[in-house]
Amino acid sequence: MPPPQFLELDDIHKRFAGVHALRGVDLSIREGEVHCLAGENGSGKSTLIKVIAGVHPPEEGRVRIGGSDLDPVTPLESIRRGVQVIYQDFSLFPNLSVAENLALNNEVEQGRRIVRWSRIRATAREALARIRRELPLHRPVGELPVADRQLVAIARALLHDARLVIMDEPTTALTQREVENLFTVIENLRAEGIAILFVSHKLREVLRISERLTILRNGSKVAEGPTTDFDERSITEAMTGRSVRDEKFHYTAGPGARPPVLEVEGLGRPPAYRGVSFRVDPGEIVGITGLLGSGRTELALGLFGLLPAREGSVRLDGQPLRIRSVEEALAAGIAYVPEDRLTEGLFLEQSIHRNIIASILPELAGRFGFLDFARARREVEEWIRDFGIATPNAEVPAQSLSGGNQQRVLLARWLARTPRVLVLNGPTVGVDVGSKEAIHQRLRALAAEGMAVLLLSDDLPEVVSNCNRVLLLREGRLAAEFDESVTEETLNAHFAETAGTAGV
Amino acid sequence: MSEPAPRKPLLRRILTADDNLNRLILVSVAIFAAMVALNPDSFLTLRNFVSMSYSFPELGLLALGLALCMITGGIDLSVVGIANLTSVLAALLMVSLLGPDSPPAAVVPVLALAIAVALVTGVLAGWCNGMIVSRFRIHPVLVTLGTWQVFSGIAIILTKGYAVPGFPDAFLALGNGRFLGLPVPLYLFLAAAAVVALVLNRTRFGLSLFLIGTNETAARFAGIPVRSVLVRTYMSSGFLAALAGIIMIARTNQAKADYGESYILQAVLVNLLAGVRWSGGYGRVTGVLLAVVTLQMLSSGFNMMRFNNFARDFTWGVFLILIMVANHLFTERKRRRESAAATPRPAPTPNQETPSS
Amino acid sequence: MGRLLRQHEFYVAVILVGFSLLVGLVNPAFFSLWNLFALLKSSAVIGIFSLGLLLVLISGEIDISFPAIGVVALYLTNLFFSGIDYEGTVLLPFLMAAGIGVLLGSINAFVIARFQLPTLIVSLGTLSAFQGFILTFVDTRIINRLSDPMIDYSRSKALSFGGEGGPVYSIHTSVLVFLLLAVVTWILLRYTTLGRGVYALGGDRQATRRAGFRIWKIETFIYLYVGFLAGIAGLIHSAHVRSGNPFDLVGTELNVLAAVVLGGARIGGGRGTVLGTVLGVLLITVMNNSLILLGIPSYWQRFVTGMVLIVAVVLPQVRHLRSPQPA
């Protein structure tokens, strides 16, 4: 006999000021089941989580947790019945110790006014025992690596006698090895009869960890069933609503021997990375992948002058180049699309216009720094049309765009400079599948025009299908280089090797 | 706009597209009306307007400098300190180099020197602020709170706390003179405001201020030289403060190390009233102009009603709180109205967990 | 030992001792018991103020209105009790001053917690409004004759020794009050859920809300407590100078800020301890009072205050920026 249903959602509707965010969604999770919720950005995943957590009570439909209806659905009632949400930002206090982070919510919830530190430590130990991990209790959480912070968040959630733990995109900031650790923890929880709702858009993980799967699109449930009934293609198609072409990028060297655009020789900024040498020919898309902490981002920042390299040399079109600042990198024709769109990329409250021209201010500036607004407007209009950015006009603030459109604005900003070398760091993180494909097509087109593209990513399918060469960075050094015949399996094998030798 | 514009209500057509500015216009009209009503005989007189336009340029210049810093998401509380330090320096130069009967030929170069020294010192002081703010990444509030004391402190040390009086007539003209019937300080202020407006709206530097104020990290990634822009911002603020200092001592014919300390509150007040956002990224010179004049009307009206300085401080304080609360309520309402509009907000910020409420 | 070296408090203590030795070398009068006890006494007012500001800084904000609260409290209290020729216990004036402080604190609390406005700018306004209120609606004259209980308090001592032919050394009651309030604040911050909430708020606002804290409650408490302490500090100040001056205190906010920041409280929130703050207060007091002993004219005071504040905020930041991890 299968275990009883723990959570049942029936025909849930939710509207926000005219937007129909959820349109009759059903979802059911059994005790001890690992259930995945997949969908593009804006498909209603987050809203659905918040309905379950009681943050957004539904307008229509029934929420049944632990065998009886919730009426009304409130955060407190949801928690009381054993629902715990681990948000993407973990909701931890960086300045407080691990022990206090683990115990504080509990203290507040129980209405305690006086803090007994012995009790705090006892609670903390108990919490860590649940996930069978050891963490330094007195260390401030801010000093822990991301994966450990996540463990703290999970352990804390379990303190509330959780029977359903909802994890919102839990693997975004984790390395491959840490993801494995997380999966072990999830397995343990499952064995104890705790249900997990795993929200993700990383298809491989979805397939790996879950037993059942629910896919949302535009606020409606479009597919549901045992995970074994799905594969990557069918999930993608369900998420996007159209079939996805899966073409691999092929690099063809042009006629005649063209000199390389970028030559990097022994580049280093110890301890982040050292002795990195590679070259990129015109028209190539070279992938650089590696675990978090492999020096990947630092290398990119080195090429862009934000964290200048201390050793080695860079040649651009055969000319030696010293990159000591962003200005120098830009002047030489190197552009960098940063990792985190919201904090490092966009000026959210400013117009699309200003967001795009931000990188070409020197070009637009004439005498005494006066800007050529006529030219700026022309440029911006062109980019909006060219990229198909969905917006009524260029004066709309960037924050009103969807994630995919925001990423297009960022790309436009950098392409407006017509760079020789385009460095992208995780260009499709948090971007819906449709935009992702558009961005990939764009990169290929750029390469075809002779631009040198350097694609840094830990999204292996992305790297494998879009790059004609892949460099693997490990502990700050180039560990391996693959040609376009590389497969995800090969890369994964090398990652595993890394994990083995790193031996944390 | 191809479709025939629907007839907007009269008020809508008069008002600009900028909500902040509209509110400000309403506030200033209301205050104007109130002051006229409360002082029926004296407010609506040429004399009053002339006297007002002698006194608000000082505050206006300080507020302009502050506005630049606030647009970058910073603040410069040291403007009064800079004004006092620079004016004390200019005063000491003039007094020590010139006697009561120095020939006019000797006066002009000394004046030029004194003014130049004051302006350069202002810029240098701003440079110090900018360097500390941008290099050590310390909140500008703390930095400028400290440098305010340091600049004023130096002025006190130089004067041992005494006033430095007695400047040549040619210099006093900068504060009391008229040109084409209007006060000289007014010209200086309007010129400064025009330059600042031009720089903010038309130049690379100006746009950089808004971008840095919106997201400093993104500005760095976009290749905007954040450090140097910030340093130049605080230098500009220092320059404007020095200019204000020169007008101050030219008007009062004496330099004091602790003159006009309540100006800082008023300068902040002007900016908040003007709708310059304290968290950065938004602000307009038109707003600052209008806000300065509004505050001056209030101040002159109070004078006529025989309010003393203390009553004015009290009113400024209360006014400041009211404006902040009002701004808050307006943005709240606007946000609610916007989220009520059809456009979905795909990236809800963490603070808005309950947009429905 | 390694742990000690990582504590900010340790460095403050070292600087405090070092600086004291320096002053003592230049002028041995510094190390007289009489001078040390006088220093302790004069640290009480700044000290009590700084305990309140500590909470504000931990919560991630900056408040500068507390001296004005102190002024209102000391002026109204003294005006009232001198006016009625009060003869009873000194506790009543203290109660009234603290009450006025809480009342004014509640204005700050309301505006800040209800409308979610930045404390610094709000307090810039209330600073001016509070002091302006006294000067406009009450009086601008200095109260020269305090009530007898206040005079008695100004002469009171918590502890005295010596005598019998030799000089009498005594520690003023204010020092005891400061110590007591410091201990109360310490317990509050370390052993109450509310106190941990203040740290939580400075650490991550959103997480604080999700943890089940009511943020407005924490904020309201902070500004009521600041008002409470400011009222007491104001009254003590008036006892020390034996007059009720409505122009006093405003201006000391920078000294207090410098003391708390020197003591290791981080602007931006989440960090700060009572011990560090007390050490910071002592350091600031020694610096301020040693100018004269070092032969520096009093008109250098303001410059020195400013420099100390700047150094206090720059130094930890230099250490922070030098630390290995990139920004």
Side-chain angles (χ1 to χ4, degrees), chain A residues 17 56 304 306 326-327 330 336 342-347 349-350 354 361-362 369-371 373 401 414, chain B residues 198 201-204 207 210-211 214-215 217-219 221-223 225 277 281 339-342 346 353 355:
Chain A
H56 294 333
F304 192 55
L306 264 171
V326 179
E327 285 90 336
L330 285 175
Y336 175 66
L342 296 180
T343 63
E344 298 170 343
L346 291 167
F347 304 99
E349 294 145 35
Q350 301 287 347
R354 285 183 167 182
L361 295 181
F370 282 98
L371 295 171
F373 279 101
L401 298 178
W414 289 112
Chain B
L198 209 61
N201 301 324
R202 296 267 140 211
T203 70
R204 179 184 167 191
L207 185 51
F210 289 104
L211 295 181
T214 308
N215 184 344
T217 311
F221 275 91
R277 197 181 300 155
S339 67
E353 276 193 346

Short mmCIF file of all heavy atoms in Angstrom, two decimals, chain A residues 17 56 304 306 326-327 330 336 342-347 349-350 354 361-362 369-371 373 401 414, chain B residues 198 201-204 207 210-211 214-215 217-219 221-223 225 277 281 339-342 346 353 355:
data_model
loop_
_atom_site.label_atom_id
_atom_site.label_comp_id
_atom_site.label_asym_id
_atom_site.label_seq_id
_atom_site.Cartn_x
_atom_site.Cartn_y
_atom_site.Cartn_z
N ALA A 17 -3.71 41.36 -8.95
CA ALA A 17 -4.08 42.60 -9.64
C ALA A 17 -4.27 42.36 -11.12
O ALA A 17 -3.62 42.96 -11.96
CB ALA A 17 -3.00 43.65 -9.40
N HIS A 56 0.58 33.37 0.20
CA HIS A 56 -0.47 33.86 -0.70
C HIS A 56 -1.65 32.92 -0.65
O HIS A 56 -1.64 31.89 -1.34
CB HIS A 56 0.04 33.88 -2.16
CG HIS A 56 1.13 34.85 -2.40
ND1 HIS A 56 1.30 35.99 -1.66
CD2 HIS A 56 2.10 34.87 -3.33
CE1 HIS A 56 2.35 36.65 -2.11
NE2 HIS A 56 2.86 35.98 -3.12
N PHE A 304 38.76 40.99 -17.63
CA PHE A 304 37.96 42.20 -17.74
C PHE A 304 38.54 43.34 -16.89
O PHE A 304 37.99 44.43 -16.85
CB PHE A 304 36.52 41.91 -17.33
CG PHE A 304 35.55 43.01 -17.68
CD1 PHE A 304 35.44 43.47 -18.97
CD2 PHE A 304 34.74 43.58 -16.71
CE1 PHE A 304 34.55 44.47 -19.30
CE2 PHE A 304 33.85 44.59 -17.03
CZ PHE A 304 33.75 45.03 -18.33
N LEU A 306 38.67 43.74 -13.65
CA LEU A 306 38.09 44.05 -12.35
C LEU A 306 38.95 43.51 -11.22
O LEU A 306 39.02 44.08 -10.14
CB LEU A 306 36.68 43.50 -12.24
CG LEU A 306 35.56 44.48 -12.56
CD1 LEU A 306 34.24 43.77 -12.64
CD2 LEU A 306 35.49 45.61 -11.55
N VAL A 326 39.08 48.05 -15.82
CA VAL A 326 37.97 47.80 -16.74
C VAL A 326 38.11 48.69 -17.97
O VAL A 326 37.88 48.26 -19.10
CB VAL A 326 36.62 48.07 -16.04
CG1 VAL A 326 35.48 47.84 -17.01
CG2 VAL A 326 36.46 47.16 -14.84
N GLU A 327 38.52 49.94 -17.74
CA GLU A 327 38.65 50.86 -18.86
C GLU A 327 39.60 50.30 -19.92
O GLU A 327 39.34 50.38 -21.11
CB GLU A 327 39.17 52.23 -18.37
CG GLU A 327 38.14 53.07 -17.67
CD GLU A 327 38.11 52.80 -16.16
OE1 GLU A 327 38.53 51.70 -15.75
OE2 GLU A 327 37.66 53.68 -15.42
N LEU A 330 37.98 47.40 -21.77
CA LEU A 330 36.98 47.89 -22.70
C LEU A 330 37.63 48.52 -23.92
O LEU A 330 37.23 48.27 -25.06
CB LEU A 330 36.08 48.93 -22.00
CG LEU A 330 35.07 48.36 -21.02
CD1 LEU A 330 34.34 49.48 -20.31
CD2 LEU A 330 34.08 47.47 -21.76
N TYR A 336 32.33 41.90 -21.00
CA TYR A 336 32.06 40.86 -20.02
C TYR A 336 30.61 40.94 -19.56
O TYR A 336 30.18 41.97 -19.06
CB TYR A 336 33.00 41.04 -18.83
CG TYR A 336 32.74 40.08 -17.69
CD1 TYR A 336 32.94 38.71 -17.83
CD2 TYR A 336 32.30 40.56 -16.47
CE1 TYR A 336 32.71 37.84 -16.79
CE2 TYR A 336 32.06 39.69 -15.40
CZ TYR A 336 32.27 38.34 -15.57
OH TYR A 336 32.03 37.48 -14.54
N LEU A 342 20.97 40.62 -11.65
CA LEU A 342 20.29 41.65 -10.86
C LEU A 342 21.26 42.53 -10.09
O LEU A 342 21.07 43.73 -9.99
CB LEU A 342 19.30 41.00 -9.90
CG LEU A 342 18.16 40.27 -10.59
CD1 LEU A 342 17.22 39.67 -9.58
CD2 LEU A 342 17.40 41.20 -11.52
N THR A 343 22.32 41.94 -9.51
CA THR A 343 23.20 42.76 -8.70
C THR A 343 24.37 43.32 -9.49
O THR A 343 24.85 44.40 -9.20
CB THR A 343 23.75 41.99 -7.49
OG1 THR A 343 24.55 40.90 -7.98
CG2 THR A 343 22.64 41.45 -6.63
N GLU A 344 24.85 42.59 -10.48
CA GLU A 344 26.03 43.06 -11.19
C GLU A 344 25.71 43.64 -12.56
O GLU A 344 26.54 44.29 -13.18
CB GLU A 344 27.03 41.90 -11.37
CG GLU A 344 27.53 41.34 -10.08
CD GLU A 344 28.31 40.05 -10.26
OE1 GLU A 344 28.20 39.43 -11.33
OE2 GLU A 344 29.01 39.66 -9.33
N GLY A 345 24.51 43.35 -13.04
CA GLY A 345 24.21 43.74 -14.41
C GLY A 345 23.33 44.95 -14.55
O GLY A 345 23.75 46.00 -15.02
N LEU A 346 22.11 44.83 -14.08
CA LEU A 346 21.10 45.81 -14.47
C LEU A 346 21.02 47.00 -13.52
O LEU A 346 21.34 46.90 -12.33
CB LEU A 346 19.73 45.14 -14.49
CG LEU A 346 19.54 44.11 -15.61
CD1 LEU A 346 18.30 43.30 -15.34
CD2 LEU A 346 19.44 44.81 -16.95
N PHE A 347 20.58 48.11 -14.10
CA PHE A 347 20.15 49.26 -13.31
C PHE A 347 18.63 49.17 -13.30
O PHE A 347 17.96 49.71 -14.18
CB PHE A 347 20.64 50.56 -13.93
CG PHE A 347 22.12 50.60 -14.12
CD1 PHE A 347 22.69 50.32 -15.36
CD2 PHE A 347 22.95 50.88 -13.05
CE1 PHE A 347 24.06 50.35 -15.52
CE2 PHE A 347 24.32 50.90 -13.21
CZ PHE A 347 24.88 50.63 -14.46
N GLU A 349 15.97 50.30 -11.83
CA GLU A 349 14.98 51.37 -11.85
C GLU A 349 15.20 52.32 -13.02
O GLU A 349 14.41 53.23 -13.24
CB GLU A 349 15.04 52.16 -10.54
CG GLU A 349 14.60 51.35 -9.36
CD GLU A 349 15.38 51.72 -8.11
OE1 GLU A 349 15.72 52.90 -7.94
OE2 GLU A 349 15.67 50.81 -7.31
N GLN A 350 16.29 52.14 -13.74
CA GLN A 350 16.53 53.04 -14.88
C GLN A 350 15.95 52.45 -16.15
O GLN A 350 15.66 51.26 -16.23
CB GLN A 350 18.04 53.27 -15.04
CG GLN A 350 18.71 53.88 -13.81
CD GLN A 350 18.38 55.34 -13.63
OE1 GLN A 350 17.84 56.00 -14.51
NE2 GLN A 350 18.69 55.88 -12.45
N ARG A 354 18.83 53.75 -20.84
CA ARG A 354 20.04 54.00 -20.05
C ARG A 354 20.80 52.71 -19.78
O ARG A 354 22.03 52.70 -19.73
CB ARG A 354 19.67 54.68 -18.73
CG ARG A 354 19.32 56.14 -18.92
CD ARG A 354 19.02 56.82 -17.60
NE ARG A 354 18.98 58.27 -17.77
CZ ARG A 354 18.79 59.12 -16.78
NH1 ARG A 354 18.63 58.67 -15.56
NH2 ARG A 354 18.77 60.41 -17.00
N LEU A 361 29.03 54.92 -23.07
CA LEU A 361 29.06 56.35 -22.78
C LEU A 361 30.28 57.05 -23.38
O LEU A 361 30.15 58.13 -23.96
CB LEU A 361 29.00 56.58 -21.26
CG LEU A 361 27.71 56.13 -20.59
CD1 LEU A 361 27.75 56.43 -19.10
CD2 LEU A 361 26.52 56.83 -21.22
N PRO A 362 31.47 56.46 -23.27
CA PRO A 362 32.63 57.16 -23.86
C PRO A 362 32.47 57.39 -25.36
O PRO A 362 32.86 58.43 -25.87
CB PRO A 362 33.79 56.20 -23.57
CG PRO A 362 33.35 55.36 -22.44
CD PRO A 362 31.86 55.23 -22.58
N GLY A 369 32.28 66.04 -22.74
CA GLY A 369 31.49 64.94 -22.23
C GLY A 369 30.03 65.00 -22.57
O GLY A 369 29.23 64.23 -22.03
N PHE A 370 29.62 65.89 -23.48
CA PHE A 370 28.20 65.94 -23.85
C PHE A 370 27.83 64.72 -24.68
O PHE A 370 28.57 64.32 -25.58
CB PHE A 370 27.89 67.23 -24.63
CG PHE A 370 27.77 68.41 -23.73
CD1 PHE A 370 28.84 69.27 -23.55
CD2 PHE A 370 26.61 68.64 -23.02
CE1 PHE A 370 28.75 70.35 -22.69
CE2 PHE A 370 26.50 69.72 -22.16
CZ PHE A 370 27.57 70.57 -22.00
N LEU A 371 26.68 64.13 -24.35
CA LEU A 371 26.28 62.89 -25.01
C LEU A 371 25.48 63.18 -26.27
O LEU A 371 24.69 64.12 -26.33
CB LEU A 371 25.43 62.05 -24.05
CG LEU A 371 26.16 61.54 -22.82
CD1 LEU A 371 25.18 60.91 -21.84
CD2 LEU A 371 27.22 60.51 -23.20
N PHE A 373 22.58 62.31 -27.93
CA PHE A 373 21.37 61.55 -27.60
C PHE A 373 20.67 61.02 -28.84
O PHE A 373 20.03 59.97 -28.79
CB PHE A 373 20.41 62.42 -26.78
CG PHE A 373 20.80 62.46 -25.34
CD1 PHE A 373 21.47 63.54 -24.81
CD2 PHE A 373 20.51 61.38 -24.51
CE1 PHE A 373 21.86 63.56 -23.47
CE2 PHE A 373 20.88 61.39 -23.19
CZ PHE A 373 21.56 62.49 -22.67
N LEU A 401 10.80 44.22 -16.96
CA LEU A 401 10.96 43.18 -17.97
C LEU A 401 11.06 41.80 -17.33
O LEU A 401 11.41 41.67 -16.16
CB LEU A 401 12.23 43.43 -18.79
CG LEU A 401 12.29 44.73 -19.58
CD1 LEU A 401 13.62 44.85 -20.28
CD2 LEU A 401 11.15 44.78 -20.58
N TRP A 414 26.38 45.03 -24.12
CA TRP A 414 27.76 44.69 -24.40
C TRP A 414 28.04 44.57 -25.87
O TRP A 414 29.12 44.91 -26.35
CB TRP A 414 28.15 43.42 -23.65
CG TRP A 414 28.23 43.76 -22.21
CD1 TRP A 414 27.42 43.35 -21.22
CD2 TRP A 414 29.13 44.71 -21.63
NE1 TRP A 414 27.76 43.97 -20.05
CE2 TRP A 414 28.80 44.80 -20.28
CE3 TRP A 414 30.17 45.48 -22.12
CZ2 TRP A 414 29.47 45.63 -19.40
CZ3 TRP A 414 30.85 46.31 -21.26
CH2 TRP A 414 30.49 46.38 -19.92
N LEU B 198 22.78 71.10 -16.78
CA LEU B 198 23.35 70.69 -18.07
C LEU B 198 24.23 69.44 -17.88
O LEU B 198 24.13 68.46 -18.64
CB LEU B 198 24.19 71.85 -18.61
CG LEU B 198 24.32 71.94 -20.12
CD1 LEU B 198 22.94 72.12 -20.73
CD2 LEU B 198 25.23 73.10 -20.48
N ASN B 201 22.04 66.26 -17.02
CA ASN B 201 21.15 65.71 -18.04
C ASN B 201 21.81 65.46 -19.38
O ASN B 201 21.27 64.72 -20.20
CB ASN B 201 19.96 66.65 -18.25
CG ASN B 201 19.19 66.84 -16.97
OD1 ASN B 201 19.06 65.91 -16.18
ND2 ASN B 201 18.71 68.05 -16.74
N ARG B 202 22.93 66.09 -19.61
CA ARG B 202 23.47 66.03 -20.97
C ARG B 202 24.82 65.34 -21.08
O ARG B 202 25.29 65.12 -22.18
CB ARG B 202 23.60 67.45 -21.53
CG ARG B 202 22.31 68.19 -21.68
CD ARG B 202 21.74 68.02 -23.06
NE ARG B 202 20.31 67.85 -23.01
CZ ARG B 202 19.61 67.13 -23.89
NH1 ARG B 202 20.23 66.52 -24.87
NH2 ARG B 202 18.32 67.00 -23.78
N THR B 203 25.48 65.10 -19.95
CA THR B 203 26.85 64.60 -20.10
C THR B 203 27.01 63.18 -19.59
O THR B 203 26.17 62.65 -18.87
CB THR B 203 27.86 65.48 -19.34
OG1 THR B 203 27.65 65.28 -17.94
CG2 THR B 203 27.70 66.95 -19.68
N ARG B 204 28.13 62.63 -19.99
CA ARG B 204 28.52 61.29 -19.58
C ARG B 204 28.65 61.23 -18.05
O ARG B 204 28.17 60.31 -17.41
CB ARG B 204 29.87 61.02 -20.24
CG ARG B 204 30.47 59.72 -19.94
CD ARG B 204 31.83 59.67 -20.61
NE ARG B 204 32.59 58.54 -20.09
CZ ARG B 204 33.87 58.36 -20.33
NH1 ARG B 204 34.54 59.21 -21.07
NH2 ARG B 204 34.49 57.32 -19.83
N LEU B 207 25.12 61.28 -16.37
CA LEU B 207 24.41 60.01 -16.47
C LEU B 207 25.06 58.97 -15.56
O LEU B 207 24.37 58.15 -14.93
CB LEU B 207 24.41 59.53 -17.93
CG LEU B 207 23.61 58.28 -18.24
CD1 LEU B 207 22.19 58.39 -17.68
CD2 LEU B 207 23.56 58.04 -19.73
N PHE B 210 23.62 58.99 -12.04
CA PHE B 210 22.35 58.28 -11.88
C PHE B 210 22.58 56.76 -11.86
O PHE B 210 21.96 56.05 -11.08
CB PHE B 210 21.39 58.64 -13.02
CG PHE B 210 20.87 60.04 -12.93
CD1 PHE B 210 21.36 61.03 -13.75
CD2 PHE B 210 19.89 60.36 -12.01
CE1 PHE B 210 20.89 62.34 -13.66
CE2 PHE B 210 19.41 61.66 -11.91
CZ PHE B 210 19.91 62.65 -12.73
N LEU B 211 23.45 56.30 -12.76
CA LEU B 211 23.67 54.85 -12.84
C LEU B 211 24.33 54.33 -11.56
O LEU B 211 23.95 53.30 -11.01
CB LEU B 211 24.52 54.51 -14.06
CG LEU B 211 23.82 54.81 -15.40
CD1 LEU B 211 24.71 54.44 -16.58
CD2 LEU B 211 22.50 54.08 -15.50
N THR B 214 21.90 54.10 -8.82
CA THR B 214 20.94 53.01 -8.94
C THR B 214 21.57 51.68 -8.57
O THR B 214 20.96 50.87 -7.86
CB THR B 214 20.40 52.93 -10.38
OG1 THR B 214 19.95 54.21 -10.77
CG2 THR B 214 19.27 51.94 -10.47
N ASN B 215 22.78 51.43 -9.04
CA ASN B 215 23.44 50.16 -8.73
C ASN B 215 24.94 50.32 -8.96
O ASN B 215 25.42 50.24 -10.09
CB ASN B 215 22.88 49.05 -9.62
CG ASN B 215 23.46 47.69 -9.27
OD1 ASN B 215 24.47 47.59 -8.58
ND2 ASN B 215 22.81 46.64 -9.75
N THR B 217 27.51 48.43 -8.14
CA THR B 217 28.23 47.25 -8.65
C THR B 217 28.04 47.13 -10.16
O THR B 217 29.00 46.92 -10.90
CB THR B 217 27.69 45.98 -7.98
OG1 THR B 217 27.67 46.20 -6.58
CG2 THR B 217 28.57 44.80 -8.28
N ALA B 218 26.79 47.27 -10.59
CA ALA B 218 26.53 47.17 -12.02
C ALA B 218 27.28 48.26 -12.77
O ALA B 218 27.77 48.03 -13.88
CB ALA B 218 25.03 47.28 -12.28
N ALA B 219 27.40 49.43 -12.16
CA ALA B 219 28.12 50.51 -12.81
C ALA B 219 29.58 50.12 -13.02
O ALA B 219 30.16 50.38 -14.07
CB ALA B 219 28.02 51.79 -11.98
N PHE B 221 30.72 47.07 -13.32
CA PHE B 221 30.77 46.05 -14.37
C PHE B 221 30.50 46.65 -15.75
O PHE B 221 30.89 46.08 -16.75
CB PHE B 221 29.75 44.95 -14.08
CG PHE B 221 30.28 43.90 -13.15
CD1 PHE B 221 30.10 44.00 -11.79
CD2 PHE B 221 30.97 42.81 -13.64
CE1 PHE B 221 30.59 43.05 -10.93
CE2 PHE B 221 31.47 41.84 -12.78
CZ PHE B 221 31.28 41.96 -11.42
N ALA B 222 29.81 47.80 -15.79
CA ALA B 222 29.54 48.42 -17.07
C ALA B 222 30.70 49.29 -17.53
O ALA B 222 30.62 49.94 -18.55
CB ALA B 222 28.26 49.25 -17.00
N GLY B 223 31.77 49.28 -16.76
CA GLY B 223 32.94 50.03 -17.17
C GLY B 223 32.91 51.50 -16.81
O GLY B 223 33.72 52.28 -17.31
N PRO B 225 33.88 54.42 -14.57
CA PRO B 225 34.94 54.60 -13.58
C PRO B 225 34.37 55.13 -12.26
O PRO B 225 34.45 56.33 -11.99
CB PRO B 225 35.90 55.59 -14.22
CG PRO B 225 35.06 56.32 -15.22
CD PRO B 225 33.98 55.41 -15.66
N ARG B 277 16.01 61.41 -4.48
CA ARG B 277 15.85 60.20 -3.68
C ARG B 277 17.08 59.97 -2.80
O ARG B 277 18.20 59.98 -3.30
CB ARG B 277 15.63 59.00 -4.58
CG ARG B 277 15.05 57.81 -3.84
CD ARG B 277 14.87 56.64 -4.75
NE ARG B 277 13.97 56.94 -5.85
CZ ARG B 277 14.01 56.29 -7.02
NH1 ARG B 277 14.90 55.37 -7.22
NH2 ARG B 277 13.15 56.59 -7.96
N GLY B 281 19.90 57.64 -7.44
CA GLY B 281 19.35 57.27 -8.73
C GLY B 281 18.30 58.22 -9.28
O GLY B 281 17.93 58.09 -10.43
N SER B 339 1.13 48.03 -9.44
CA SER B 339 0.95 46.58 -9.41
C SER B 339 -0.51 46.24 -9.69
O SER B 339 -0.84 45.12 -10.05
CB SER B 339 1.39 46.01 -8.06
OG SER B 339 0.54 46.46 -7.05
N ALA B 340 -1.38 47.24 -9.55
CA ALA B 340 -2.78 47.00 -9.89
C ALA B 340 -2.98 47.06 -11.40
O ALA B 340 -3.94 46.50 -11.93
CB ALA B 340 -3.68 48.03 -9.22
N ALA B 341 -2.06 47.74 -12.08
CA ALA B 341 -2.15 47.80 -13.53
C ALA B 341 -1.87 46.41 -14.11
O ALA B 341 -1.41 45.52 -13.42
CB ALA B 341 -1.16 48.81 -14.08
N ALA B 342 -2.13 46.26 -15.39
CA ALA B 342 -2.12 44.92 -15.95
C ALA B 342 -0.75 44.28 -16.00
O ALA B 342 -0.63 43.06 -16.01
CB ALA B 342 -2.71 44.96 -17.36
N PRO B 346 7.47 40.47 -12.93
CA PRO B 346 8.07 39.15 -12.97
C PRO B 346 9.13 38.94 -11.89
O PRO B 346 9.35 37.83 -11.48
CB PRO B 346 8.71 39.09 -14.37
CG PRO B 346 8.78 40.49 -14.84
CD PRO B 346 7.89 41.33 -14.01
N GLU B 353 6.37 40.40 -0.35
CA GLU B 353 5.82 39.06 -0.31
C GLU B 353 4.31 39.06 -0.46
O GLU B 353 3.73 38.09 -0.87
CB GLU B 353 6.22 38.37 0.99
CG GLU B 353 7.58 37.75 0.88
CD GLU B 353 7.86 36.81 2.01
OE1 GLU B 353 7.13 36.83 3.01
OE2 GLU B 353 8.82 36.05 1.88
N PRO B 355 1.97 41.27 -2.33
CA PRO B 355 1.56 42.39 -3.16
C PRO B 355 0.05 42.58 -3.15
O PRO B 355 -0.45 43.63 -3.51
CB PRO B 355 2.05 42.00 -4.56
CG PRO B 355 2.26 40.54 -4.51
CD PRO B 355 2.53 40.18 -3.10
#
